[in-house]
C-alpha cells in the first residue's frame, strides 16, 4: 500500500478546491430546501393555527390558516404570536407585522426589540429600540411609556416593565385596563419575576453602599414584603400549592476560579475543578414565606444543606449537595441524594429519611437517561414519591414515614392526578395507573412493549413548582421501538380511546384544543417533507398544510428495512437506495454508525439535517450511493467488539443485494460513531475507506480524563453510560484494552479521513491527533482535518461546516467512485513521490 500521510490545518474561511467542478454546488443545492418545523400554535379559541417555515436553519416565515380546513392562508415574517382569535403578530429582526385575521388588514412597526401579548385585554405591547413601550389594540395606539430599562417580563397573563424616572426606578403593570405604577424604588432593579399563580411580583434590588441587597415581594393587595439578601445574590422561588406558601432561595455563585500559581485538587472533593462554578454556591440562604399569614421565616438550621420544597408549607426535604458523589454519573444528571432529611420548619427539627437514587428512563435510541426529578410531590402536599434503589418508587408521607413501596421495576416518570387519587406512570412497556386508595397498580393495556409519555403534563418543566400533576383526560403517546411507529390515546376514568392510530410517520409535535376534540400533528417521513395534519374523532385525518413544492424529488427516495442477528439480538438496518436507482447497475455504498438508528428511518431526508453530523444521506443518495445505517447494541465483549460484530453481520445481510459493490464500501461516524469507526478500522478488511470525526482512540486515557463539556471526570461515560462497559478499568483491564482502537492502529489497511474541532471539550481533539500519529508511525494513508475555531459538532451553514461537508463528499467520491481529480487528496500521492 502507498505509505504517505498528510495533515491539513483549516481555518473557517471559504476555500477554493481545484480539480473539480462542484465545490460550491452542494452548499447552493442545500439552500433550496425549506420545511415546516417547530411546534404549531393554536389561537386561544382554536379557530386558527400557525406553523413556522424554515429555510436552511432559520425561521423566515410563519403560515397562519384556519385550523379545521387550512384555508384563508396568511403569511407573516418571522415567528408569530396570536392575540386571541383576531390578530396575529409576527416579528422578524427589528420589524413587527400585525395581521387582522377578520379582514386581512396589515400594519407594520419598525425598530422593535420585543413583542408582548396582553390576551385578557385584547391588546399588545411593543418595546422599541428607543426604549419606549407602546400599547395597541385593534383600533391603534392607546398609550406609551418612555425610559424603559431592559426587557419586560410577560408571564401568567401579566406584563411588567421597569422604567427609569429621574432618580427612581419604577415597575409598571401593563396588565390592567388602566396601566399603573406598581412599585417605585431609588435602588437599581437587578431582576423581576412573577409567581406561577400570577399574584406576586419578586423584585431583586441592588443597594449601593449597603452590606446587603434586597428582595421585595409585591402582591396585588397588601403591604410589600422586604427581605435583606446577600450582595449579588440570585433569587429563585418555589411556589407551594398555587401560592399558599413559597420557599425562597438566595444564592451567591463563585465569580471564577481564582487564578493562582497552583490549583489544588483533592481526591475526596465532590466539586472537582471547574464544576464548583456550576454546582456550589459561595453563600446560600433560604426563607419560608406565607403570604396569608404575612410570615417570613429564615430557615437558619439548614446551613450547608440544599432545601427542596415538598409542596407543603411545613415540611421540606434537605440534604448535603453531592454528598459522597463519586462521578459515576454525569454531572448533567441529578446525583443521588444521600443522607436526606425531612425538615420540620414548625418544630425546627430534622427527621432522617435515608438515601434517594435517580430513576432512569429509556429513550428512542434505546439508551437509558436519568429522570431529572428525583422527588415528586402530590398536589395537596401530603405525600411524595422517591426511589431508594433507583429501580422502584416508594410513596412517602410528607413527614418522612414510608407509606408503601410500589413493587414494580421499569416504572419511569410518575405524575399525580390533580384530584390526588391516582398516580400515572410512564414506562417503556405500557402505561400504568396506581390507585392510592386501593394501593393497586395496573396497566392500561394500550401500549404493550411501547414507550409511553404523557403529553398534557401540567408541570411543563417549570422548576418553580414541586408537584407533577395532570388533570384527566390524559393524552398519552405510545412509541414502538421495534417498528418505529407512534400512536396517541386519550385516557379518562381508566377508559381509553385511540385518537391517532399507529403511524410510521415521525410525529414531531402535537397540539390540541381545550376540549380534546381536535388534534394537530407535524409529521414527516424519509420521503415526505414535514406537513401539518388534523385529526378529529371518526373523521378521516386531513393534511391542512404542507411544503412539498420545495422538494419534488422526495417521493422518488427508496428505503428498505433490513433485519439481521448480532450479539444474540435481533437488529435492524436502514438501507437507502440511490435516487435514480437502476436495477441493472451496481453502486458504491457508505455505512454510517452510531448506536441504535432504527428510529431515524422516518426522518425527512433534507440535506440540511443536523444528524448524522458530517454525514449527508440525501446528498449521497442523490450522487449515486447506497447508504446503510445498521443498529449497534452492546454485550459483554465490549463496545468496540460489539460494534464490529453488529456492523459485519449487518453487512453480510445487506450485501445480499446484488446492486451493491462489495469492493466499494466506506464506513463513517462522528463522536461515539467516530470511536466505533476507529475500532472497526483496526479490525476489519471489508471497507475501502473510512471517515472518522471527533472520536476516541484511547479509551483508557479518555476514561481517566477530565471532560470540560460535562464538567466532570469522564469515567462515568464508560462504566454506566454510552460505552456500557459496566466495570472500571481496575476491575477489568483486559476489557478496556481489547476495545481501545489505538492499540491496534497498525492494522488499519484502508485510507482514513479524520476530523475534529480544536475547541472540542467533549472528546478532546488530541484523541484524533493521537490516532493520526499512530497511523503516521505505521505509514498508513491518512489525512486529518483540524478546525481551530470549531467544537464537537459544527453549526450548519458556517464556512467550516460547508468546508467539511464538501471534503467528506470528495473523499467518498475519490475512494469509492474513482474521481481522482481532487488536489487536496492527491497531495498524498505527490508527497509519496
Amino acid at each position: 500500500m502507498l505509505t504517505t500521510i498528510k495533515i491539513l490545518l483549516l481555518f473557517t474561511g471559504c476555500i477554493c478546491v481545484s480539480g473539480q467542478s462542484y465545490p460550491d454546488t452542494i452548499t447552493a443545492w442545500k439552500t433550496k430546501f425549506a420545511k415546516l418545523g417547530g411546534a404549531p400554535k393554536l389561537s386561544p379559541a382554536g379557530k386558527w393555527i400557525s406553523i413556522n417555515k424554515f429555510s436552511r436553519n432559520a425561521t423566515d416565515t410563519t403560515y397562519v390558516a384556519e385550523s379545521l380546513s387550512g384555508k384563508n392562508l396568511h403569511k407573516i415574517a418571522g415567528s408569530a404570536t396570536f392575540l386571541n382569535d383576531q390578530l396575529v403578530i409576527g416579528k422578524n429582526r427589528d420589524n413587527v407585522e400585525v395581521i387582522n385575521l377578520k379582514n386581512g388588514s396589515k400594519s407594520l412597526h419598525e425598530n422593535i426589540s420585543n413583542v408582548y401579548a396582553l390576551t385578557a385585554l385584547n391588546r399588545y405591547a411593543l418595546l422599541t429600540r428607543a426604549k419606549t413601550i407602546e400599547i395597541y389594540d385593534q383600533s391603534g395606539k392607546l398609550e406609551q411609556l418612555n425610559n424603559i430599562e431592559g426587557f419586560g417580563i410577560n408571564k401568567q397573563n401579566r406584563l411588567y416593565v421597569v422604567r427609569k424616572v429621574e432618580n427612581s426606578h419604577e415597575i409598571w403593570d401593563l396588565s390592567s385596563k388602566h396601566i399603573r405604577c406598581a412599585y417605585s424604588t431609588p435602588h437599581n432593579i437587578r431582576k423581576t419575576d412573577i409567581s406561577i399563580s400570577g399574584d406576586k411580583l419578586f423584585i431583586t434590588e441592588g443597594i449601593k453602599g449597603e452590606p446587603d441587597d434586597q428582595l421585595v415581594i409585591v402582591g396585588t393587595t397588601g403591604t410589600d414584603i422586604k427581605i435583606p439578601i446577600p450582595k449579588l445574590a440570585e433569587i429563585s422561588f418555589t411556589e407551594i400549592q398555587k401560592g399558599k406558601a413559597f420557599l425562597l432561595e438566595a444564592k451567591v455563585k463563585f465569580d471564577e476560579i481564582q487564578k493562582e500559581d497552583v490549583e489544588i485538587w483533592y481526591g475526596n472533593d465532590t466539586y472537582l475543578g471547574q464544576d464548583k462554578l456550576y454546582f456550589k454556591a459561595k453563600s446560600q440562604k433560604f426563607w419560608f414565606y406565607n403570604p396569608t399569614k404575612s410570615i417570613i421565616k429564615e430557615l437558619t438550621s439548614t446551613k450547608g444543606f440544599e432545601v427542596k420544597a415538598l409542596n407543603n408549607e411545613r415540611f421540606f426535604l434537605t440534604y448535603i449537595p453531592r454528598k459522597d458523589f463519586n462521578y459515576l454519573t454525569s454531572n448533567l444528571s441529578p446525583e443521588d441524594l444521600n443522607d436526606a432529611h425531612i425538615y420540620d420548619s414548625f418544630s425546627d427539627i430534622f427527621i432522617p429519611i435515608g438515601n434517594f437514587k435517580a430513576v432512569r428512563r429509556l429513550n428512542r435510541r434505546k439508551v437509558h437517561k436519568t429522570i431529572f426529578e428525583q422527588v415528586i410531590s402530590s398536589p395537596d402536599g401530603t405525600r411524595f414519591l422517591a426511589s431508594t434503589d433507583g429501580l422502584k418508587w416508594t410513596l412517602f408521607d410528607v413527614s418522612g414515614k414510608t407509606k408503601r413501596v410500589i413493587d414494580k421495576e421499569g416504572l419511569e416518570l410518575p405524575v399525580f392526578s390533580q384530584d390526588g387519587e391516582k398516580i400515572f406512570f410512564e414506562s417503556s412497556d405500557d402505561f400504568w395507573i396506581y390507585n392510592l386508595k386501593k394501593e393497586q397498580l395496573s396497566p392500561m393495556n394500550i401500549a404493550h412493549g411501547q414507550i409511553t409519555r404523557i403529553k398534557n403534563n401540567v408541570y411543563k418543566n417549570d422548576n418553580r413548582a414541586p408537584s407533577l400533576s395532570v388533570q384527566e383526560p390524559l393524552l398519552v403517546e405510545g412509541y414502538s421501538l421495534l417498528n418505529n411507529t407512534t400512536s396517541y390515546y386519550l385516557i379518562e376514568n381508566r377508559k381509553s380511546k385511540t385518537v391517532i392510530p399507529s403511524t410510521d410517520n415521525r410525529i414531531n409535535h402535537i397540539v390540541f384544543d381545550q376540549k380534546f376534540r381536535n388534534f394537530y400533528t407535524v409529521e414527516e417521513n424519509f420521503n415526505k417533507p414535514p406537513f401539518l395534519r388534523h385529526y378529529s374523532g371518526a373523521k378521516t385525518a386531513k393534511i391542512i398544510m404542507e411544503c412539498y413544492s420545495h422538494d419534488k424529488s422526495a417521493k422518488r427516495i427508496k428505503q428498505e428495512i433490513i433485519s439481521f442477528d448480532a450479539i444474540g439480538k435481533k437488529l435492524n438496518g436502514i438501507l437507502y437506495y440511490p435516487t435514480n436507482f437502476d436495477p441493472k447497475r451496481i453502486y458504491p455504498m457508505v455505512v454510517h454508525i452510531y448506536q441504535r438508528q432504527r428510529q431515524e428511518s422516518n426522518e425527512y431526508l433534507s440535506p440540511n439535517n443536523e444528524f448524522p453530523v458530517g454525514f449527508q444521506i440525501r446528498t449521497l443518495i442523490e450522487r449515486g450511493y447506497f447508504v446503510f445505517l445498521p443498529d449497534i447494541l452492546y454485550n459483554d465483549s465490549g463496545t468496540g467488539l460489539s460494534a464490529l460484530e453488529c456492523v459485519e453481520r449487518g453487512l453480510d445481510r445487506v450485501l445480499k443485494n446484488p446492486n451493491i459493490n462489495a469492493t466499494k464500501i466506506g464506513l463513517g461516524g462522528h463522536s461515539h460513531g467516530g470511536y466505533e469507526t476507529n475500532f472497526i478500522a483496526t479490525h476489519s478488511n471489508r471497507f475501502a475507506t473510512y471517515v472518522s470525526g471527533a472520536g476516541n482512540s484511547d479509551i483508557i486515557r479518555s476514561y481517566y480524563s477530565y471532560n470540560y463539556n460535562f464538567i466532570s471526570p469522564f469515567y462515568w461515560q464508560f462504566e454506566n453510560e454510552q460505552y456500557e462497559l459496566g466495570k472500571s478499568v481496575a476491575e477489568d483491564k483486559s476489557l478496556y484494552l481489547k476495545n481501545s482502537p489505538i492499540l491496534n492502529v497498525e492494522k488499519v489497511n484502508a485510507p482514513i479521513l479524520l476530523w475534529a474541532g480544536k475547541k472540542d471539550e467533549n472528546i478532546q481533539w488530541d484523541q484524533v491527533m493521537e490516532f493520526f500519529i499512530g497511523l503516521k508511525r505505521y505509514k498508513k494513508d491518512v489525512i486529518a482535518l483540524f478546525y481551530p475555531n470549531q467544537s464537537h459538532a459544527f453549526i450548519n451553514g458556517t464556512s467550516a461546516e460547508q468546508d467539511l461537508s464538501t471534503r467528506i463528499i470528495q473523499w467518498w467520491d475519490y475512494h469509492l467512485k474513482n474521481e481522482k481529480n481532487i488536489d487536496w487528496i492527491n497531495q498524498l500521492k505527490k508527497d509519496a513521490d
Side-chain angles (χ1 to χ4, degrees):
M1 182 176 67
L2 182 63
T3 54
T4 183
I5 301 95
K6 186 70 177 179
I7 181 169
L8 299 181
L9 185 63
L10 300 179
F11 294 88
T12 56
C14 294
I15 67 165
C16 179
V17 181
S18 60
Q20 63 166 35
S21 60
Y22 61 91
D24 297 321
T25 56
I26 293 174
T27 299
W29 175 63
K30 290 168 71 173
T31 60
K32 298 177 181 179
F33 287 78
K35 65 179 183 179
L36 302 180
K41 297 178 183 177
L42 276 173
S43 61
K47 182 179 179 181
W48 299 89
I49 192 166
S50 71
I51 188 169
N52 297 328
K53 186 194 74 149
F54 290 87
S55 293
R56 197 67 161 131
N57 294 314
T59 305
D60 56 12
T61 307
T62 298
Y63 292 142
V64 182
E66 292 179 355
S67 60
L68 298 182
S69 65
K71 296 180 179 179
N72 200 5
L73 182 69
H74 299 274
K75 294 181 182 180
I76 194 165
S79 56
T81 302
F82 283 108
L83 183 63
N84 294 319
D85 280 49
Q86 301 170 21
L87 301 180
V88 63
I89 307 165
K91 185 176 186 301
N92 185 30
R93 297 186 177 88
D94 287 355
N95 295 327
V96 168
E97 185 180 9
V98 181
I99 299 178
N100 187 312
L101 295 170
K102 287 188 174 181
N103 58 31
S105 62
K106 298 181 180 181
S107 59
L108 181 66
H109 305 271
E110 298 178 326
N111 299 316
I112 303 300
S113 297
N114 214 348
V115 180
Y116 312 95
L118 300 169
T119 305
L121 299 173
N122 209 19
R123 298 175 181 174
Y124 62 95
L126 303 177
L127 177 63
T128 72
R129 293 292 180 192
K131 298 184 179 180
T132 63
I133 196 94
E134 300 172 349
I135 302 173
Y136 294 82
D137 65 8
Q138 293 184 67
S139 60
K141 186 190 293 186
L142 299 177
E143 297 185 73
Q144 177 175 312
L145 281 176
N146 57 11
N147 299 323
I148 304 300
E149 293 190 327
F151 289 91
I153 180 167
N154 186 206
K155 297 178 181 177
Q156 285 75 47
N157 293 315
R158 311 290 298 181
L159 173 60
Y160 294 92
V161 296
V162 179
R163 184 186 186 206
K164 177 72 181 296
V165 180
E166 297 181 348
N167 295 323
S168 296
H169 294 83
E170 300 175 346
I171 296 182
W172 281 72
D173 182 0
L174 309 185
S175 313
S176 304
K177 185 175 181 180
H178 301 290
I179 66 173
R180 66 184 183 90
C181 179
Y183 180 73
S184 179
T185 178
H187 308 303
N188 180 48
I189 295 176
R190 291 201 286 112
K191 183 183 176 182
T192 58
D193 206 348
I194 305 172
S195 63
I196 296 172
S197 52
D199 62 352
K200 294 287 184 295
L201 185 64
F202 295 84
I203 305 163
T204 305
E205 297 184 358
I207 304 178
K208 290 184 178 180
E210 295 294 332
D212 293 318
D213 286 341
Q214 182 171 256
L215 172 66
V216 182
I217 306 173
V218 178
T220 52
T221 59
T223 307
D224 299 341
I225 302 293
K226 297 183 179 181
I227 308 171
I229 60 174
K231 275 290 182 186
L232 302 178
E234 296 182 7
I235 299 297
S236 60
F237 62 88
T238 304
E239 186 164 339
I240 297 168
Q241 295 186 42
K242 299 181 179 180
K244 183 178 180 180
F246 294 86
L247 176 66
L248 309 175
E249 178 185 5
K251 179 184 293 186
V252 181
K253 293 184 177 180
F254 286 92
D255 297 328
E256 62 179 13
I257 295 177
Q258 296 297 318
K259 303 298 183 183
E260 300 177 349
D261 291 337
V262 61
E263 294 180 7
I264 303 176
W265 290 28
Y266 292 98
N268 61 349
D269 193 352
T270 59
Y271 297 94
L272 187 60
Q274 286 193 350
D275 58 359
K276 181 179 293 185
L277 293 174
Y278 294 84
F279 301 103
K280 190 175 182 181
K282 185 188 298 184
S283 63
Q284 196 168 12
K285 289 187 176 183
F286 296 90
W287 294 267
F288 167 75
Y289 170 47
N290 186 316
T292 304
K293 299 178 181 179
S294 297
I295 295 174
I296 287 283
K297 178 182 178 181
E298 184 174 353
L299 305 184
T300 55
S301 301
T302 58
K303 186 176 181 180
F305 283 69
E306 188 71 38
V307 181
K308 280 182 176 285
L310 295 173
N311 208 30
N312 185 281
E313 58 183 302
R314 175 176 178 175
F315 296 102
F316 300 85
L317 181 72
T318 67
Y319 58 96
I320 298 175
R322 296 164 71 89
K323 183 177 182 181
D324 301 327
F325 183 62
N326 54 15
Y327 294 97
L328 292 179
T329 59
S330 164
N331 267 336
L332 301 183
S333 300
E335 69 274 11
D336 298 338
L337 305 185
N338 292 323
D339 196 19
H341 289 70
I342 297 294
Y343 175 58
D344 184 342
S345 64
F346 290 5
S347 304
D348 200 29
I349 61 172
F350 291 87
I351 305 164
I353 195 172
N355 302 332
F356 295 147
K357 295 186 179 296
V359 176
R360 310 185 82 196
R361 71 196 304 193
L362 199 65
N363 70 12
R364 293 190 177 204
R365 294 190 186 278
K366 209 167 185 179
V367 176
H368 286 279
K369 297 294 183 183
T370 304
I371 296 174
F372 190 77
E373 299 83 5
Q374 308 105 313
V375 178
I376 297 167
S377 302
S378 63
D380 62 2
T382 62
R383 291 167 285 207
F384 67 89
L385 283 164
S387 178
T388 60
D389 59 5
L391 301 173
K392 298 177 182 178
W393 291 95
T394 298
L395 186 65
F396 291 87
D397 181 87
V398 74
S399 65
K401 296 178 182 178
T402 301
K403 299 287 288 185
R404 181 181 174 87
V405 176
I406 299 175
D407 193 21
K408 178 176 173 54
E409 296 182 14
L411 299 178
E412 297 178 355
L413 183 68
V415 180
F416 282 90
S417 62
Q418 286 192 349
D419 61 15
E421 295 181 358
K422 296 183 284 290
I423 306 172
F424 307 110
F425 285 96
E426 301 175 348
S427 86
S428 301
D429 184 13
D430 214 332
F431 187 74
W432 297 76
I433 299 177
Y434 182 77
N435 187 305
L436 285 161
K437 290 182 179 179
K438 296 180 179 180
E439 296 186 339
Q440 186 178 56
L441 178 72
S442 55
M444 276 298 300
N445 294 316
I446 56 171
H448 179 66
Q450 297 182 30
I451 296 174
T452 55
R453 299 286 182 263
I454 300 173
K455 306 304 288 187
N456 58 323
N457 193 336
V458 172
Y459 179 73
K460 295 180 180 176
N461 294 321
D462 193 332
N463 59 10
R464 301 177 304 165
S467 174
L468 276 169
S469 62
V470 66
Q471 184 174 350
E472 295 187 73
L474 282 70
L475 181 64
V476 174
E477 177 189 85
Y479 171 74
S480 169
L481 274 168
L482 179 65
N483 302 314
N484 198 24
T485 56
T486 306
S487 310
Y488 287 88
Y489 310 92
L490 206 59
I491 298 174
E492 188 170 19
N493 297 324
R494 292 201 56 85
K495 296 181 179 179
S496 68
K497 67 175 181 179
T498 302
V499 293
I500 298 180
S502 178
T503 175
D504 61 2
N505 287 335
R506 173 175 292 195
I507 297 182
N508 294 319
H509 300 281
I510 183 169
V511 296
F512 40 90
D513 61 23
Q514 295 178 0
K515 295 183 178 180
F516 293 93
R517 292 178 180 172
N518 297 287
F519 301 86
Y520 303 87
T521 59
V522 180
E523 302 182 30
E524 65 180 68
N525 216 311
F526 69 94
N527 58 356
K528 299 176 184 177
F531 56 91
L532 185 62
R533 175 173 273 171
H534 171 230
Y535 295 85
S536 181
K539 296 180 181 178
T540 303
K542 179 181 180 181
I543 295 176
I544 59 174
M545 216 177 293
E546 55 188 353
C547 205
Y548 279 105
S549 60
H550 293 274
D551 188 4
K552 296 179 180 179
S553 65
K555 293 181 180 179
R556 295 190 288 114
I557 300 172
K558 181 181 177 181
Q559 176 199 92
E560 184 180 354
I561 304 299
I562 304 293
S563 296
F564 61 95
D565 296 325
I567 65 167
K569 299 178 182 179
K570 296 285 186 182
L571 302 178
N572 292 302
I574 310 165
L575 180 65
Y576 295 99
Y577 281 64
T579 304
N580 297 308
F581 175 70
D582 181 351
K584 297 178 181 179
R585 292 181 54 194
I586 62 170
Y587 297 86
M589 181 172 72
V590 178
V591 180
H592 175 268
I593 55 176
Y594 190 72
Q595 287 180 275
R596 186 180 183 275
Q597 299 183 100
R598 175 68 174 90
Q599 73 283 350
E600 308 299 338
S601 65
N602 54 10
E603 181 182 26
Y604 164 55
L605 285 189
S606 167
N608 294 313
N609 289 352
E610 294 182 354
F611 182 87
V613 175
F615 191 92
Q616 301 176 57
I617 296 174
R618 183 65 179 277
T619 307
L620 287 167
I621 64 173
E622 293 279 353
R623 296 182 62 79
Y625 289 92
F626 276 94
V627 174
F628 183 48
L629 280 66
D631 284 346
I632 293 176
L633 298 178
Y634 309 122
N635 64 11
D636 292 341
S637 66
T639 321
L641 289 167
S642 297
L644 175 67
E645 181 180 342
C646 292
V647 170
E648 294 209 328
R649 296 295 77 76
L651 207 57
D652 291 341
R653 173 62 181 84
V654 81
L655 286 178
K656 292 181 180 180
N657 187 318
N659 297 103
I660 299 172
N661 186 344
T663 66
K664 293 294 183 180
I665 301 176
L667 178 71
H670 165 257
S671 188
H672 194 62
Y675 154 76
E676 292 169 329
T677 299
N678 292 341
F679 185 87
I680 291 170
T682 64
H683 285 74
S684 178
N685 60 2
R686 303 183 66 175
F687 296 95
T689 189
Y690 302 92
V691 174
S692 173
N696 270 324
S697 61
D698 183 345
I699 65 171
I700 294 181
R701 180 163 74 97
S702 189
Y703 175 96
Y704 286 121
S705 70
Y706 189 91
N707 187 298
Y708 287 90
N709 180 63
F710 290 95
I711 321 164
S712 169
F714 207 26
Y715 43 77
W716 58 268
Q717 177 82 316
F718 297 87
E719 293 189 41
N720 296 308
E721 294 287 341
Q722 195 166 32
Y723 285 76
E724 298 183 23
L725 291 169
K727 299 176 183 178
S728 69
V729 172
E731 290 172 310
D732 196 341
K733 288 186 176 69
S734 175
L735 179 66
Y736 282 79
L737 293 170
K738 289 177 181 177
N739 287 277
S740 197
I742 195 64
L743 298 182
N744 290 287
V745 66
E746 75 280 3
K747 296 178 183 178
V748 174
N749 60 8
I752 185 168
L753 176 67
L754 306 173
W755 64 270
K758 295 186 74 172
K759 291 186 176 180
D760 191 343
E761 294 187 335
N762 186 2
I763 303 299
Q764 291 296 316
W765 75 274
D766 61 1
Q767 283 271 347
V768 180
M769 173 63 82
E770 176 180 336
F771 204 60
F772 171 84
I773 295 298
L775 292 163
K776 174 179 173 59
R777 170 62 183 86
Y778 299 111
K779 304 184 186 304
K780 304 297 180 177
D781 284 351
V782 58
I783 293 179
L785 310 175
F786 293 113
Y787 294 81
N789 298 312
Q790 299 302 311
S791 56
H792 191 57
F794 302 177
I795 297 174
N796 250 352
T798 61
S799 57
E801 182 271 331
Q802 293 173 12
D803 178 88
L804 177 64
S805 296
T806 299
R807 289 184 187 273
I808 289 175
I809 292 295
Q810 291 171 348
W811 184 267
W812 298 129
D813 286 351
Y814 187 97
H815 293 285
L816 302 180
K817 296 173 74 174
N818 294 316
E819 295 186 8
K820 301 299 185 181
N821 193 21
I822 302 173
D823 280 356
W824 70 273
I825 302 177
N826 278 330
Q827 192 67 35
L828 280 168
K829 312 297 182 182
K830 293 177 182 178
D831 286 353
D833 295 340

